[in-house]
Amino acid sequence: MIAVLKHNATVEQRDHLINWLQSQGLEVHISEGEEYTVLGLVGDTSRIDGELLESLSIVQSVRRVSEPYKKVNRKFQPSDSVIEIGGGVKIGGGNFCMIAGPCSVETHDQIIEVAEGVKAGGADVLRGGAFKPRTSPYDFQGLKAEGLRLLSEAKKVTGLPIVTEIMNIEHLPLFEDVDIIQVGARNVQNFELLKELGMTRKPILLKRGIAGTIKELLMSAEYVMAGGNEQVILCERGIRTYETSTRNTLDLSAVPVLQELTHLPVVVDPSHATGHSGLVPPMALAAAAAGADGIMVEVHNDPIHALCDGAQSLTPAQFAAMAEKVRKIREVIKE
Ligand code: PEP
Ligand code: MN
């Protein structure tokens, strides 16, 4: 249930109402907007008389929310969330963010060269996997702690904030210098991991599950937010369908659908969605045209010799050309 308070409600009146709602066994989440204060009531709201609540002088309106997600719900927070990533970079609420970098951190020279390349091309954030979720246990598993150390070095050299994936909460102490912690498609329903990340205060990038519905993605975000961490970014990265021409099927309609349902920023990863570098630029442009809050693409200085996902990796020059066009699309759709 959601109660929107009137403009002129005093702090005393508001606190009085909140105390009463809490005494009814409800958790009250307060969202202060520019225009209104919204109270999100979580718990057994069946004992609350909505009409009575609405009749109070400080209450503007009351709505029962049927969706199981509350904190991520746009009905609870009508304005877009803007997430501050570090280094002056923001995402959401009109701030578009370009995340680029290799699938995996491989060597010192590789990550520095790619970081400098994507920065020159206009990237806002550097990506790079250190703990890699690979389908085969015999494939390259990432440089792990050493990979995180090299990412930090690339951050120092370029000033770009960094995003990298966590697979095990025991590794969290290694992520101190990481600006955005990614939860990959395979772990997005690892609820224990999500609960732990909910206790941190770092932005979390949640990728849609391989066969995950939009609602399931929102419920995963709710796990993080329920723990008190409000900085969640959602990522559409393609879902598994019967189609085999592309690695996954990019569900671009997820962008406007998510933006209607939630205030959280939504980015699109056309690299894992398509699996082919030639398909990445058109789908990145389409994502920008669809109103995404950002894109995340894989870039490698030597894609043919990449240890992971070379086929879908752009070169820094290809990234720069694509980024230029993405900026033009952003101009076109600006209101
Ligand atoms: C990644 O972004 O490095 C990755 C493994 O992606 P996904 O979890 O979407 O497969
Ligand atoms: Mn990859």
Side-chain angles (χ1 to χ4, degrees):
M1 187 180 253
I2 279 168
V4 181
L5 302 190
K6 283 185 189 158
H7 246 356
N8 54 2
T10 66
V11 177
E12 289 76 32
Q13 287 174 315
R14 204 184 78 171
D15 289 350
H16 187 71
L17 176 61
I18 292 170
N19 285 341
W20 178 74
L21 290 164
Q22 285 169 335
S23 75
Q24 299 300 300
L26 297 175
E27 226 179 279
V28 182
H29 299 278
I30 306 161
S31 168
E32 308 254 19
E34 266 175 31
E35 300 275 321
Y36 302 103
T37 297
V38 182
L39 303 183
L41 311 181
V42 182
D44 179 11
T45 53
S46 61
R47 38 204 294 212
I48 303 289
D49 180 343
E51 284 177 9
L52 181 72
L53 191 58
E54 202 161 35
S55 72
L56 298 178
S57 63
I58 61 164
V59 176
Q60 165 107 9
S61 61
V62 172
R63 241 193 307 183
R64 286 205 182 267
V65 179
S66 51
E67 295 91 359
Y69 46 87
K70 312 279 180 205
K71 300 205 82 177
V72 307
N73 202 319
R74 200 182 270 285
K75 287 181 191 156
F76 173 49
Q77 182 189 310
S79 60
D80 288 347
S81 277
V82 177
I83 295 174
E84 310 227 355
I85 289 161
V89 177
K90 290 183 191 167
I91 181 164
N95 301 286
F96 190 83
C97 186
M98 284 202 245
I99 306 171
C103 180
S104 310
V105 180
E106 297 171 6
T107 64
H108 171 273
D109 291 357
Q110 173 244 16
I111 191 65
I112 300 293
E113 196 176 324
V114 176
E116 286 177 331
V118 298
K119 182 174 184 183
D124 305 292
V125 177
L126 175 68
R127 66 150 284 150
F131 291 93
K132 293 303 303 175
R134 303 303 301 275
T135 303
S136 165
Y138 307 116
D139 286 340
F140 176 58
Q141 304 286 307
L143 295 183
K144 307 186 176 77
E146 173 65 3
L148 289 174
R149 198 188 63 71
L150 293 175
L151 267 179
S152 275
E153 238 181 280
K155 173 177 169 176
K156 214 180 282 168
V157 170
T158 58
L160 291 176
I162 50 180
V163 53
T164 192
E165 177 165 354
I166 194 165
M167 297 215 294
N168 185 333
I169 198 62
E170 283 172 16
H171 299 148
L172 188 61
L174 298 170
F175 283 65
E176 191 122 333
D177 192 37
V178 171
D179 298 279
I180 306 174
I181 302 179
Q182 176 174 323
V183 178
R186 291 153 188 85
N187 256 321
V188 71
Q189 286 196 308
N190 181 340
F191 301 118
E192 292 306 312
L193 179 62
L194 298 177
K195 280 188 218 167
E196 294 288 341
L197 293 173
M199 318 267 270
T200 71
R201 292 296 174 267
K202 277 188 188 285
I204 308 295
L205 178 92
L206 285 184
K207 299 193 90 174
R208 184 176 180 179
I210 287 169
T213 63
I214 286 173
K215 187 167 152 188
E216 284 166 340
L217 178 59
L218 290 170
M219 292 308 294
S220 292
E222 187 78 15
Y223 261 96
V224 178
M225 290 193 77
N229 185 352
E230 317 233 302
Q231 306 180 81
V232 182
I233 302 161
L234 304 173
C235 179
E236 163 60 39
R237 46 77 75 202
I239 46 175
R240 179 161 294 171
T241 68
Y242 49 80
E243 182 53 64
T244 54
S245 308
T246 48
R247 184 171 176 180
N248 290 286
T249 297
L250 181 57
D251 176 13
L252 267 188
S253 59
V255 174
V257 170
L258 280 167
Q259 286 172 336
E260 195 176 319
L261 298 175
T262 181
H263 49 85
L264 298 173
V266 181
V267 306
V268 170
D269 170 354
S271 306
H272 292 91
T274 63
H276 300 281
S277 59
L279 299 177
V280 171
M283 291 300 96
L285 299 185
D293 299 288
I295 51 165
M296 174 151 105
V297 293
E298 287 188 341
V299 177
H300 199 285
N301 55 335
D302 184 9
I304 293 169
H305 296 107
L307 294 182
C308 184
D309 286 349
Q312 66 193 34
S313 297
L314 302 175
T315 61
Q318 287 168 332
F319 169 73
M322 183 198 77
E324 180 67 37
K325 289 187 187 163
V326 167
R327 283 191 285 271
K328 286 187 183 147
I329 295 273
R330 290 277 309 155
E331 282 304 314
V332 170
I333 64 164
K334 240 188 216 160
E335 283 150 39

